[in-house]
Structures are given as C-alpha cells and as structure tokens.
Amino acid sequence: DSPFMSRGNFGIGATASRHYNAPYFSANDPEDRNNRQFAGSFSFYSTTAKTGRHDVKIGAEHFRSWRTGGNSQSATGYVFLTDYQTANGKPVVDADGHPIPVWTPAANGSRTRIQQWLAYPGSTLNINTRSVYAQDRWQINNRLTADLGLRYEDVKSDATGDIVGADTTTWLPRLGIAWDIQGDGRSVAQATYGYYSGRFTERAFARNTNVGSPSRVDLSYIGPAGVGRNFAPGYDLSNYVITGGNFPTANVFFDPDLTSSKTDEFTLAFGRQLRRGYTKVTYTWRRTDAFIEDFINDPTAAGKVNVVRDGVNYGTFDAVTYRNTDLPRREYQALQFEARADVLNGRFPVQGHYTVQLKNHGNFEGEAANQPGNPSIWMDYPEMFTEERYYPYGRLDEFQRHKFRLWTTYVQDLGRYGSIDISPLWRVNSGLTYSLAASSVGMSAIQVAANPGYERANTTTATLFFGERGSENFNGYGMLDVAVRYGVPVWKTVQPWIQAQVFNALNNRKLIQWNTTITPDPASPLDSIGQRTGYIKDANFGTATLNTHYPVWSSGESGARTFRVAFGIRF
C-alpha cells in the first residue's frame, strides 16, 4: 500500500522518477497555504524656493503568510525507491495490472531504498513581516530629480512546538537620480541603486520545523535480490540499514541571525525623445549574496546528534545548520535597447527591444522547478568534495546572450464598417546553456577514505560536473505571432468585436533543447578525488523528450502553430 518511485539507474530499462503502485501523499494530512495583509500610506507635497518640490510617501505594512500541514508523503509512512521490470522498453505488469518492482541490493548508490517519513499532520508555521517605508521624489530644480527611499523590515516566524525560524531586521535603501540634459525633457540620463530583500518563504524557513518538512529516515536494501510486489524480504525492515536522514526538530538548526538572501542592483540609462518616437539604452548590474545554505562541516562530536523519536533510537546523525553565506555567487550584467517609431501619423507604431546579457554567471543555481531556494552541496562535507567537480563557476541555466522583440499594430479605419487592427510580433531568442553533468553519482573510495568522521557522508550522491558550468549551448530560434482584430459599432459606443490569434505562424519546429543525460565513463581516467573524468552520453542524448524541447509560445505550452479566437462586446 505504499507508493513506489523508479530510480532509472539499475540498468534494467526503467525510466527515472516514475511513480507507481499506490497514491502519493495522505488524505489524513490536508494542507493550507494562506496569507493576510494590512497596509496603509500617507502622502504629502511640499514646494519651497530653497528645497524644491517634494512628493513624500510614508507607509506601513503587516504581511502574514502561513502554512499548515505535515506534508505526509504516503498513508503508510513509507516510499520505496526501486525500478520496475521492463520488456522491450515497456513496464511489465502483474495479473492485477501493477508494474512489478525489482528488489536490488547492488552497491555504489544503486540499491533499492526506502524513505521512512515521520510526519506530524496539522503542523503550522506563521511568518510575520512588519515593515515601514518612506520615499521622497525630490524635484531639485528644472533639470535634476532625485528619488530617496528607505524601507525597514522586521520578520519573525513561529511554528508548532514554539519553534523560531526567522527573527531579523533589515534596512533597505533605494536611490535614484534623473538629469534632464537640455532642460526640455527630450534627453534624460538616469542612475539607480537598490538593495532588495528576498522573500521569507515557508519552504526555506520551515526546515527546522515539522511543517512541510517531515522527518525522514533513509534506508538501503541489503537483502536478497528479488522480483514482485509480494516479495517478502523487500518489506522486511531487518533487510535494510540506515544510511541517512533528516530530523528537522532534532538535527536541523538555524543560525540566530538567519535572513533571506539579498540583492544589490545598479542601473545606468539614457533616453532620447525623437520627433516621432524615442530610444533608450539601459545598463544593469546585479549581484546576489547572503544565500541560505546548509552547513554540514563539523565531523567532531559537537557536530553530531543522537536522534530518538517516539521511543525509537534512530542512531547518530550529522548536525545540519542553515546560515547565510557569500561564498556561492550569482552575478548579472546586461544592456537593453528600446525604441519606438511612429509611422503614418501614429497609425503604424513600430516598437522593439533587444537585450544582450554580458554576464549571467555563478556557481550556484539555487532553485529548481517549484523548488525556490534549494541549498546546494557547497558547505556539505567539504573535505570530500571539490569545487571543480561539484560546484564550478560558469554560465547559469538562464544565461541567454540575445533576446529580441519587434512588434507593431496597424490600424485601418473602415468608417461606418468599423476598424481592423493587425498586430505581428517577431520573437528571437538565442540558445540557453546547459552543463555536462551526471546526477546522483556516488562517492569514490578516495572520497570515502577522506571522511574525517561524518556519520552519513559515505552514502551521499551528488551531481558531478565534466567541465565548467554552462559549457554547452542549446539552439536559438525565432517565431512570428500575428493577431487580427475587427470591431464594428452598432449603436452609440456598443461595438462587437472578434479577434483571431496565430502563435508560431510559420510553424517553427526547430529542436531548441534536448535530453542532456550523461553518466561517468568507467573506462576513463580518475581525477584526484577518484571520480571518472570521462562521460558516456545517454541513448536519448540530443533528442527531444519534452514539449519544451521545441519552441514554445507560452510557459510550458507546445510551440506548434496554434490558433485562438475570441469574441466580445465593447460598450
């Protein structure tokens, strides 16, 4: 009655991360995610001969977000991680139509495993953000304008069991200046600086609570090999050994000054009003620091915790402490060009913008789909991992050198027969990047021997890089979208209309991303930590396995030529 998840690394043809056998999650542990906000502000204006004109705004805000639920992963408390039997590339099913699990005691991180989840249904976390701010738009003279702002944030969280996660204050300045070069408003230079606080997310600040972060024990199978849903040794816990675990209220700790990540941003811009349009260029520099990272770096007795839950002694685990650190890096620089030209007395405006990324680099991605703020292996077991192989510097996943958009709307008045608007949009994107990296690679004998005394490090698997981050490029592409709208007045201001939209009008089906799975080559030389330096491409490497591997016109939507029609009445 437990859910099973395939791992895809037993060499028997199963696809990784495929769920089978029983439902995930427990209906006995409902979940709520809510927020409540109160805000108010006061504005006033002042003009004097000496100080110029001031537009001042002062405000305050109280924002509470809360999450309820223990995130029970299964009704039984267990999730089995093992592949299913295959034949001719397809799952083999038993007489009841269920995929047949394969119980594998093989070593090197590939064995069958169990996740035992010890959830507390109904746990609750509250995060309270109280802030006050003031901003002054200061017209110093006819040419010079300044924006001066300051925001103060006080954040505290509390969870079931009187657990405190966040208890911090932050000052956030915002500065801006604009100079009208000629005094006629046609040529303006601007500069801004901002210091921004990241959101205090429930996911990050619940890690030392039972809210959404149930305790987990990781067990590896050491029993006999077998096949079938009724293979008794696979369900006998005496055939498993504890290899890891996470107990948020026991071995997970927060630094008392833990805060959200912070971002510095600086921009320079120059804009010029033309006779029939405008142009503008903007330079952006951005750096993120104070990342929230998990530290597992104390192999002494002080860095260990003996965990006892409900009378059961689960053994000794390494302490995990979340702190802010500036060692991971994320850096961004870009130039953006904007322009507009009004043709045919404004009936045919042509607009566009072009962004060129000068830098979007780092050694820390920090997120995955629906998983913001993931910690990395940066500060985990530092004696056993190297920066070159596990967290190299380079182009991040969202690095995109060029991005171009050009559009217009042509309006043709048809008199009493209404009007027709034609709007084409041309989108051009250069290719994204990807890294040559193998996921879930076990530790080498040299790494295991380098363990200075950590309890659970030897079974750790991690992503192994072959070269710098973002060393490879996907393909770029261009797409043309067209919208046509026709409306006709029927009585006073009442106007029925119809609009037709064609996305990817030229039906570009270019392969722009692909499967990038690789595995270490067992015949290649070893590096200084005993890991292979060569790799083998997966059989599907370079081929499309997802809709998003082709051009898309909306997030996650297939990019094949798509037609949409809308009707309405304007009055």
Side-chain angles (χ1 to χ4, degrees):
D1 297 324
S2 298
F4 281 57
M5 181 70 75
S6 62
R7 305 190 66 205
N9 57 359
F10 293 172
I12 60 175
T15 302
S17 301
R18 293 298 184 263
H19 159 225
Y20 62 105
N21 193 64
Y24 246 97
F25 302 119
S26 171
N28 297 317
D29 188 13
E31 182 171 302
D32 290 307
R33 301 174 189 237
N34 301 297
N35 64 71
R36 181 172 61 221
Q37 179 185 35
F38 299 96
S41 63
F42 173 74
S43 299
F44 65 91
Y45 308 91
S46 172
T47 302
T48 67
K50 290 185 178 181
T51 63
R53 186 173 63 196
H54 295 265
D55 178 0
V56 179
K57 183 176 183 179
I58 299 173
E61 178 187 52
H62 173 84
F63 184 85
R64 166 177 281 194
S65 63
W66 68 92
R67 179 178 179 180
T68 301
N71 198 18
S72 302
Q73 297 293 296
S74 88
T76 65
Y78 295 92
V79 175
F80 289 81
L81 307 178
T82 196
D83 283 348
Y84 49 81
Q85 202 172 43
T86 63
N88 300 319
K90 297 181 179 181
V92 176
V93 297
D94 59 20
D96 297 322
H98 294 282
I100 300 174
V102 178
W103 307 90
T104 309
N108 299 321
S110 298
R111 59 169 69 100
T112 294
R113 297 186 179 187
I114 290 179
Q115 294 175 338
Q116 181 183 4
W117 297 91
L118 307 170
Y120 278 96
S123 300
T124 300
L125 167 71
N126 299 307
I127 301 178
N128 297 297
T129 302
R130 303 175 184 89
S131 58
V132 294
Y133 62 89
Q135 181 164 336
D136 181 11
R137 182 171 178 80
W138 180 18
Q139 185 76 43
I140 302 172
N141 55 44
N142 291 335
R143 292 194 178 188
L144 195 61
T145 302
D147 282 282
L148 309 175
L150 184 64
R151 180 182 180 92
Y152 169 80
E153 288 187 349
D154 176 83
V155 183
K156 288 183 172 64
S157 71
D158 61 85
T160 299
D162 296 324
I163 298 171
V164 175
D167 186 0
T168 184
T169 60
T170 309
W171 293 91
L172 305 165
R174 314 285 167 83
L175 306 172
I177 191 167
W179 178 38
D180 185 349
I181 297 173
Q182 297 173 314
D184 58 2
R186 297 181 62 84
S187 299
V188 179
Q190 299 170 306
T192 68
Y193 169 75
Y195 185 56
Y196 302 94
S197 174
R199 180 170 176 246
F200 287 75
T201 65
E202 292 82 0
R203 186 171 188 272
F205 286 87
R207 288 189 172 113
N208 68 335
T209 76
N210 291 307
V211 182
S213 304
S215 296
R216 186 194 75 245
V217 182
D218 298 327
L219 306 103
S220 289
Y221 185 60
I222 57 172
V227 175
R229 292 177 68 236
N230 296 320
F231 183 67
Y235 300 97
D236 185 351
L237 292 183
S238 65
N239 287 325
Y240 291 82
V241 294
I242 296 176
T243 56
N246 186 58
F247 296 85
T249 59
N251 75 316
V252 177
F253 305 92
F254 278 7
D255 183 272
D257 298 320
L258 186 70
T259 184
S260 63
S261 59
K262 302 296 186 289
T263 298
D264 289 277
E265 183 180 87
F266 174 74
T267 69
L268 288 172
F270 174 77
R272 171 69 179 173
Q273 189 73 34
L274 306 175
R275 182 181 177 187
R276 294 184 180 275
Y278 75 93
T279 62
K280 185 177 183 179
V281 58
T282 303
Y283 167 76
T284 301
W285 175 93
R286 188 181 300 130
R287 182 187 64 195
T288 304
D289 52 25
F291 290 101
I292 298 175
E293 265 293 346
D294 60 332
F295 285 69
I296 312 176
N297 60 351
D298 185 357
T300 68
K304 297 180 174 59
V305 177
N306 187 66
V307 178
V308 178
R309 283 282 304 271
D310 300 326
V312 179
N313 190 333
Y314 287 97
T316 303
F317 291 80
D318 299 306
V320 181
T321 303
Y322 283 88
R323 304 188 184 103
N324 294 109
T325 175
D326 294 338
L327 288 177
R329 291 182 288 164
R330 288 175 65 91
E331 303 164 331
Y332 178 87
Q333 295 181 52
L335 284 170
Q336 185 177 55
F337 302 87
E338 305 171 57
R340 174 188 171 107
D342 293 328
V343 184
L344 300 179
N345 295 321
R347 291 168 52 200
F348 190 45
V350 180
Q351 299 183 73
H353 60 78
Y354 164 60
T355 300
V356 53
Q357 288 189 12
L358 307 175
K359 175 179 280 190
N360 195 348
H361 291 55
N363 51 18
F364 176 65
E365 293 290 349
E367 63 267 333
N370 301 316
Q371 299 178 21
N374 280 348
S376 70
I377 201 170
W378 251 98
M379 308 299 169
D380 301 347
Y381 318 118
E383 301 86 351
M384 308 165 73
F385 295 101
T386 62
E387 182 173 355
E388 178 185 9
R389 299 306 307 272
Y390 291 96
Y391 30 92
Y393 182 84
R395 300 182 301 177
L396 297 172
D397 287 345
E398 63 269 28
F399 179 91
Q400 186 177 62
R401 179 69 74 185
H402 306 289
K403 183 176 181 178
F404 177 70
R405 300 290 185 269
L406 183 67
W407 69 94
T408 185
T409 299
Y410 175 74
V411 181
Q412 179 61 56
D413 187 1
L414 302 177
R416 62 174 179 168
Y417 297 107
S419 65
I420 186 169
D421 306 344
I422 302 175
S423 303
L425 167 65
W426 185 33
R427 296 182 283 149
V428 180
N429 296 315
S430 63
L432 296 171
T433 67
Y434 68 95
S435 304
L436 293 172
S439 61
S440 301
V441 177
M443 302 183 71
S444 68
I446 293 177
Q447 289 173 291
V448 171
N451 185 347
Y454 295 109
E455 289 292 327
R456 312 290 173 177
N458 295 356
T459 59
T460 299
T461 62
T463 298
L464 185 70
F465 285 79
F466 296 82
E468 69 178 27
R469 187 183 300 271
S471 61
E472 310 301 304
N473 285 297
F474 290 117
N475 293 328
Y477 66 98
M479 293 176 69
L480 177 66
D481 306 327
V482 179
V484 179
R485 180 185 183 278
Y486 173 69
V488 57
V490 295
W491 180 69
K492 294 185 177 181
T493 60
V494 177
Q495 184 189 85
W497 56 266
I498 181 173
Q499 184 182 61
Q501 298 172 327
V502 185
F503 297 93
N504 193 8
L506 303 180
N507 203 27
N508 184 344
R509 299 297 290 155
K510 183 179 182 180
L511 185 66
I512 63 169
Q513 294 188 45
W514 46 81
N515 182 290
T516 61
T517 303
I518 61 173
T519 55
D521 182 356
S524 63
L526 299 174
D527 64 8
S528 60
I529 59 173
Q531 290 289 356
R532 297 295 176 180
T533 55
Y535 60 88
I536 299 173
K537 294 181 179 179
D538 184 80
N540 292 321
F541 188 99
T543 64
T545 53
L546 298 170
N547 281 344
T548 53
H549 289 170
Y550 296 98
V552 297
W553 59 265
S554 182
S555 178
E557 306 232 14
S558 173
R561 184 189 289 124
T562 304
F563 299 89
R564 294 200 307 191
V565 178
F567 307 88
I569 299 177
R570 184 176 182 179
F571 54 91

